[in-house]
Structure formats: structure tokens, C-alpha cells
């Protein structure tokens, strides 16, 4: 048996899902450990807000990369874990917002609403989180059955809008400090993923057009 087949079988094992969830929790555990030992620098609140936001983007981009990685490496078992990664992105995004609302605004609702309406990058980030919420809530087999496959797929195409809004949020936040190098890296990765998606849909549509 070759390495690819062995890896694909491992991805389908019962212990693979708990292992994926454990791996998804590691960055959060690392952040909490650093916070508990006062290793987040001079501004721990800002460090937590930034780190949870960055990990939200990383998990979201990894979720979008599952299908290309499956095709590139011939690992269909990867699809089994895509929903877990998507839910993880939502959890980190929710923690990102809660860290901002609690550590930066002290959970004062009036201050949060005023800040959201005043600063475009916060408004865009909140909109991305709102759009992620129904995706996370329907990332289970019962939801797929209740919605039906086609409607579920249509709903989950919102992930691309979420990604673009998340990138815009990240860009506006970094642009204020004239620090765009990191943004360009994530923008480049997203561009590759979107081009792959577009080309795949174009290839799928050609046989239908030929008829």
C-alpha cells in the first residue's frame, strides 16, 4: 500500500476526528497558556484580539483549501474534516469578537455599537461573523438533511463572501498602520483558492453547455 492510500485510510479512521479537534484547539490553548504566564507583551488585550483574528483567517483559509488539497494529493478523506475546520474558524472568530468586546470595550453595549458604526473595519468584521453563524449552525448532518443537499450547498457558498469580508477587515485594520505585507500573503492565498474554484466550476459547466 502506498503512502497516499495509507494517509487517506488514516483520515477515515474513527480517531481522526478527535485528533483534528485537538489540533484545532492547540493554538487557543497556547494563547491561554501565554496569557496565564504573562507572556503576551505590554498589551495582552491587543495581543489576544490580534491572535484570535489571525487564527480565524488561517482556519477559514484552510477550510477553503481542503478541496484543492484533496484534488492535488488524491486524498478524498480530507473532505471528512472540512466541516470541523469551518466550525473552528467560527469559534475563533467568535472569540476574536468577544475579546474585542470584553477586553477593549468592557462589554459596554453602547460603546461597542458606537465603535462598530464609527469604524468600518469593525463593521465589516462583524458582518463576516454574522454570515459565519448560519454556516456553523448548519454544519451537521441533521441540518443537511433538513435543508436538503442543494439548499445546504447554496447556503455554504456564503463562505466565499465571509472570506472576502474577513480579508477586507484585515486589510483596513493593517492599512491604518501602513503594514500590508501580511495582508498581501493572505490575499495571494485567497486569490489562488478562488481561481481554483472558478476554474473547477467552469470545467464542470462545459459538458452541460456541450449538450
Amino acid at each position: 500500500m502506498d503512502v497516499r492510500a495509507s494517509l487517506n485510510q488514516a483520515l477515515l479512521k474513527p480517531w481522526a476526528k478527535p485528533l483534528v479537534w485537538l489540533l484545532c484547539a492547540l493554538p487557543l490553548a497556547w494563547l491561554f497558556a501565554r496569557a496565564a504566564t504573562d507572556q503576551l507583551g505590554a498589551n495582552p488585550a491587543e495581543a489576544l484580539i490580534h491572535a484570535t483574528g489571525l487564527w480565524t483567517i488561517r482556519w477559514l483559509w484552510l477550510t477553503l483549501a481542503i478541496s484543492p488539497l484533496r484534488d492535488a494529493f488524491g486524498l478524498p478523506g480530507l473532505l471528512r474534516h472540512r466541516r470541523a475546520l469551518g466550525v473552528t474558524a467560527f469559534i475563533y472568530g467568535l472569540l476574536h469578537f468577544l475579546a474585542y468586546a470584553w477586553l477593549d470595550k468592557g462589554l459596554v453595549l453602547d460603546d461597542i455599537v458606537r465603535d462598530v458604526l464609527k469604524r468600518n473595519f469593525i463593521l465589516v468584521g462583524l458582518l463576516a461573523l454574522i454570515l459565519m453563524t448560519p454556516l456553523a449552525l448548519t454544519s451537521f448532518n441533521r441540518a443537511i438533511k433538513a435543508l436538503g443537499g442543494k439548499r445546504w450547498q447554496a447556503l455554504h457558498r456564503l463562505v466565499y463572501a465571509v472570506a472576502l469580508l474577513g480579508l477586507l477587515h484585515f486589510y483596513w485594520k493593517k492599512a491604518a498602520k501602513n503594514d500590508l505585507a501580511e495582508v498581501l500573503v493572505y490575499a495571494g492565498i485567497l486569490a489562488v483558492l478562488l481561481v481554483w474554484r472558478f476554474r473547477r466550476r467552469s470545467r464542470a459547466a462545459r459538458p452541460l453547455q456541450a449538450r
Side-chain angles (χ1 to χ4, degrees):
M1 184 179 298
D2 61 21
V3 175
R4 183 182 300 175
S6 298
L7 182 56
N8 195 64
Q9 283 195 357
L11 290 167
L12 298 174
K13 295 290 185 182
W15 47 260
K17 280 191 175 182
L19 179 60
V20 168
W21 283 112
L22 177 62
L23 293 173
C24 290
L26 286 180
L28 191 58
W30 177 75
L31 282 173
F32 283 156
R34 287 177 61 84
T37 54
D38 197 21
Q39 296 182 46
L40 289 177
N43 193 337
E46 184 178 352
L48 278 173
I49 294 169
H50 176 73
T52 51
L54 199 55
W55 275 105
T56 302
I57 290 178
R58 289 168 178 168
W59 291 121
L60 184 57
W61 267 226
L62 185 56
T63 303
L64 293 173
I66 288 294
S67 290
L69 290 173
R70 172 203 60 187
D71 291 354
F73 296 102
L75 295 172
L78 283 172
L79 288 179
R80 185 169 180 254
H81 306 287
R82 182 168 57 186
R83 278 184 274 167
L85 297 177
V87 172
T88 297
F90 170 74
I91 292 171
Y92 277 79
L94 183 60
L95 290 173
H96 176 58
F97 177 75
L98 291 176
Y100 153 76
W102 176 31
L103 300 175
D104 192 33
K105 295 301 172 185
L107 295 178
V108 178
L109 184 58
D110 288 345
D111 289 348
I112 295 170
V113 172
R114 193 179 303 113
D115 205 32
V116 168
L117 295 177
K118 179 181 177 182
R119 298 201 278 179
N120 288 338
F121 81 93
I122 298 179
L123 179 61
V124 166
L126 181 59
L127 179 57
L129 181 62
I130 291 171
L131 291 180
M132 287 178 76
T133 302
L135 306 187
L137 294 177
T138 57
S139 290
F140 304 95
N141 291 333
R142 287 186 180 180
I144 297 173
K145 291 180 181 178
L147 288 171
K150 289 185 177 180
R151 282 187 293 180
W152 185 87
Q153 288 180 352
L155 174 64
H156 279 252
R157 289 192 189 103
L158 282 174
V159 69
Y160 295 99
V162 171
L164 291 171
L165 288 170
L167 183 63
L168 182 59
H169 168 73
F170 191 36
Y171 166 75
W172 274 341
K173 173 67 175 175
K174 288 289 192 176
K177 300 178 181 180
N178 198 26
D179 179 17
L180 297 179
E182 200 172 15
V183 178
L184 291 174
V185 172
Y186 286 98
I189 295 171
L190 182 59
V192 170
L193 294 173
L194 291 177
V195 168
W196 177 88
R197 172 73 179 177
F198 175 77
R199 292 183 64 182
R200 185 179 181 224
R201 292 195 69 179
S202 297
R203 287 196 301 267
R206 283 173 194 164
L208 295 177
Q209 293 173 353
R211 294 176 190 174

